[in-house]
């Protein structure tokens, strides 16, 4: 079933996204033929997750080219629209990288841009399969014979990628090998990607899971109920510092204290050699209303960073499509 989840696809004349804001209640698609709709979809998290954003950004350039043709835009207007797509969300490096990958092909026309965007999509699916295999091998070599209790945070599944998933790709592979006892899916405040999306994917895949509050995660780990945590990433600095959904850092600290592996599963496209350390990763701050939820007293303000940065010293392993880097051991510099 995971193979059938296509968060991002090109239909022939436009971009088709699964509208992740209405999952799991409804599976609806959003057909995108203009850049304003795409920027809005990215900012509302109708499409989300670093690799999926990269593919959407690459196809977004084709959307802009076709829109410019239809609306007889001058090049400057088209380029400004592409720039708005590129910067619609700041933390996941894949979005800008996806746009940048296809830009050099613009002079060759829309077909060339589309071919490159499709190549990125196909590479991502292949890469995720490799991440799944390599991650499962690494984890199983370090854990006992017993089926594993795995914790994950946010959604790094098929919905967050071009298919299969990164962290959930590892979980799927472990499950296929008969080695998953239970997945703890952190709910992921405030937009509930864990409760809504990860739980939906795990259910489709027939993988046993329990949703828990983000606040429960460190305690679940220290109580000895978790064998390994596996998460995705939005941007990995050259020194291995890793930005991912807010709450990931607490999971990493608890794993370090409990002495269990904290594993980041991400393709090389998420590694940003131009950012030396996590201090340079831009962290998106989202609207107060997402946190206050109509429940706070009138006039309350909120701090709503969407991501945090886990220092490299807490990342036991980074699983990429080409191999596993044991980051905290410091033996494998990324760039
Ligand atoms: O705000 P989101 O839902 O886009 O955040 C997504 C995450 O934090 C994912 O873990 C990350 O992008 C990796 S997806 C394979």
């Amino acid at each position: 079933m995971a193979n059938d989840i296509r968060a991002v696809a090109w239909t022939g004349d436009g971009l088709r996204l699964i509208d992740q804001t209405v999952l799991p209640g409804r599976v609806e698609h959003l057909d995108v033929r203009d850049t304003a709709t795409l920027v809005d979809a990215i900012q509302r998290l109708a499409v989300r997750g670093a690799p999926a954003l990269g593919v959407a950004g690459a196809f977004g350039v084709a959307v802009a080219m076709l829109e410019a043709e239809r609306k007889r835009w001058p090049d400057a207007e088209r380029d400004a629209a592409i720039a708005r797509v590129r910067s619609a969300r700041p933390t996941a490096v894949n979005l800008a990288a996806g746009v940048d990958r296809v830009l050099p092909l613009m002079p060759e026309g829309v077909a060339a841009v589309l071919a490159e965007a499709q190549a990125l999509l196909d590479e991502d699916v292949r890469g995720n399969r490799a991440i799944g295999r390599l991650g499962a091998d690494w984890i199983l070599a370090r854990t006992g014979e017993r089926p594993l209790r795995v914790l994950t945070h946010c959604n790094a599944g098929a919905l967050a990628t071009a298919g299969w998933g990164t962290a959930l790709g590892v979980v799927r592979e472990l499950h296929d090998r008969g080695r998953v006892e239970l997945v703890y899916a952190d709910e992921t405040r405030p937009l509930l990607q864990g409760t809504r999306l990860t739980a939906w994917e795990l259910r489709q895949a027939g993988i046993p899971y329990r949703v828990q509050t983000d606040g429960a995660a460190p305690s679940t780990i220290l109580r000895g109920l978790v064998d390994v945590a596996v998460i995705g990433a939005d941007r990995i600095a050259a020194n291995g510092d890793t930005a991912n959904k807010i709450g990931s850092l607490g999971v990493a600290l608890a794993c370090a204290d409990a002495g269990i592996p904290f594993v980041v599963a991400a393709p090389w496209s998420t590694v940003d050699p131009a950012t030396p350390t996590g201090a340079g990763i831009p962290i998106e701050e989202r609207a107060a209303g997402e946190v206050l939820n109509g429940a706070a007293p009138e006039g309350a303000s909120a701090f709503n960073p969407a991501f945090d940065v886990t220092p490299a010293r807490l990342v036991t392993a980074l699983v990429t499509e080409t191999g596993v880097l044991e980051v905290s051991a410091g033996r494998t510099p990324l760039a």
Side-chain angles (χ1 to χ4, degrees):
M1 177 63 197
N3 263 346
D4 302 336
I5 300 174
R6 289 279 176 241
V8 185
W10 188 262
T11 57
D13 59 350
L15 186 57
R16 172 164 274 208
L17 308 172
I18 293 181
D19 182 351
Q20 300 191 31
T21 63
V22 298
L23 281 171
R26 301 194 304 278
V27 183
E28 283 179 8
H29 290 94
L30 202 61
D31 286 308
V32 177
R33 288 195 176 71
D34 63 83
T35 45
T37 303
L38 179 56
V39 168
D40 182 58
I42 291 171
Q43 292 177 341
R44 289 187 302 113
L45 274 53
V47 58
R48 46 149 298 280
L53 288 172
V55 175
F59 281 119
V61 174
V63 169
M65 291 169 79
L66 293 170
E67 184 179 14
E69 238 173 71
R70 258 191 343 264
K71 298 182 177 169
R72 299 179 202 287
W73 280 350
D75 287 356
E77 199 165 341
R78 178 202 62 198
D79 294 347
I82 292 172
R84 284 193 292 277
V85 171
R86 190 181 185 280
S87 61
R89 292 186 77 194
T91 303
V93 70
N94 301 63
L95 176 58
V99 169
D100 292 347
R101 174 159 165 173
V102 301
L103 282 183
L105 292 151
M106 278 176 65
E108 293 175 35
V110 179
V113 167
L114 284 173
E116 191 64 20
Q118 187 63 43
L120 175 63
L121 185 154
D122 295 338
E123 275 168 30
D124 189 61
V125 179
R126 274 198 306 275
N128 291 339
R129 290 284 184 165
I131 286 171
R133 285 190 297 272
L134 292 164
D137 288 346
W138 188 90
I139 289 167
L140 292 176
R142 278 153 193 84
T143 46
E145 283 303 301
R146 228 171 30 75
L148 300 171
R149 298 148 317 160
V150 183
L151 182 145
T152 193
H153 190 80
C154 194
N155 172 266
L159 289 167
T161 63
W164 192 247
T166 56
L168 274 197
V170 175
V171 171
R172 289 181 197 284
E173 177 74 23
L174 287 168
H175 174 70
D176 286 351
R177 297 187 195 181
R179 299 300 300 273
V180 175
E181 179 182 315
L182 181 69
V183 176
Y184 288 98
D186 289 353
E187 64 170 346
T188 318
R189 285 282 299 154
L191 297 179
L192 305 181
Q193 289 92 329
T195 308
R196 296 187 304 105
L197 308 178
T198 299
W200 184 72
E201 288 199 42
L202 290 170
R203 178 171 184 266
Q204 305 243 12
I207 302 173
Y209 69 91
R210 295 176 91 175
V211 176
Q212 66 177 354
T213 61
D214 295 350
S219 159
T220 306
I221 292 166
L222 292 194
R223 284 171 64 187
L225 299 175
V226 177
D227 299 299
V228 59
V230 189
I231 64 156
D234 284 83
R235 188 186 298 236
I236 300 169
N239 72 341
D241 291 350
T242 295
N244 192 53
K245 179 56 56 193
I246 191 77
S248 300
L249 174 56
V251 172
L253 286 163
C255 286
D257 196 71
I260 65 166
F262 177 80
V263 176
V264 175
W268 279 104
S269 56
T270 299
V271 177
D272 178 14
T275 300
T277 72
I281 298 177
I283 299 297
E284 176 183 7
E285 282 186 30
R286 295 185 59 86
E290 289 180 355
V291 170
L292 301 176
N293 238 351
E298 206 172 313
S301 64
F303 180 46
N304 186 14
F307 301 96
D308 57 27
V309 177
T310 297
R313 66 175 184 279
L314 298 176
V315 177
T316 318
L318 166 60
V319 183
T320 73
E321 63 272 45
T322 58
V324 181
L325 311 180
E326 294 182 356
V327 178
S328 59
R331 288 191 294 269
T332 48
L334 298 177

